[in-house]
Amino acid sequence: MMRTVNLEHLAGRRVLSQRGKSIGHIEEILAEQRGDELVVTEFHVGIYAAFERLSASTIGIAMLDLLRLRRRDGLYRIPWDKLDISDPARPRLLCPMTELPGWKGQKDLRE
């Protein structure tokens, strides 16, 4: 079933794990063109997702290197079908965090 949600209702929202723990805020929403529509494919969540946006510039890359933040820990790449957005104010994972691509979480957040 297709669902339409205004992106401004999702951007910056805290994402909860299946157990109700916060894993970070939605920092990036990736979409691709499919015909005349843009379709969300992935959400980037967490503190490093915010820094990832900076890496597009030379200054951003230098800052990430200086702070040793240019790694993927703390960056959650959530495929569109693994995030429940039926309540845009409280997005929630539909899978354990260990199933997220490239996930390297902290011990206290593991499901």
Side-chain angles (χ1 to χ4, degrees), residues 9-17 21-29 43-53 74-78 83 88-91 109:
H9 294 153
L10 286 174
R13 292 289 180 181
R14 180 176 51 181
V15 175
L16 302 175
S17 71
K21 292 185 178 190
S22 174
I23 66 166
H25 293 83
I26 296 174
E27 299 291 347
E28 293 280 335
I29 301 171
F43 299 91
H44 287 189
V45 174
I47 187 67
Y48 298 117
F51 284 116
E52 181 185 43
R53 283 185 289 166
L75 168 62
Y76 304 102
R77 293 175 39 233
I78 304 172
L83 190 64
R90 295 180 52 88
L109 293 177

Side-chain angles (χ1 to χ4, degrees), residues 55-111:
S55 68
S57 72
T58 305
I59 295 171
I61 291 170
M63 189 164 109
L64 291 173
D65 286 341
L66 178 67
L67 299 173
R68 296 181 183 210
L69 296 177
R70 203 165 138 192
R71 61 184 195 272
R72 302 306 260 183
D73 299 3
L75 168 62
Y76 304 102
R77 293 175 39 233
I78 304 172
W80 71 271
D81 60 341
K82 303 283 186 193
L83 190 64
D84 176 7
I85 58 171
S86 59
D87 178 1
R90 295 180 52 88
R92 180 180 291 272
L93 281 178
L94 294 172
C95 67
M97 290 173 57
T98 54
E99 289 183 19
L100 296 177
W103 182 70
K104 291 182 183 176
Q106 299 168 349
K107 210 182 240 187
D108 61 329
L109 293 177
R110 289 186 189 239
E111 305 254 81

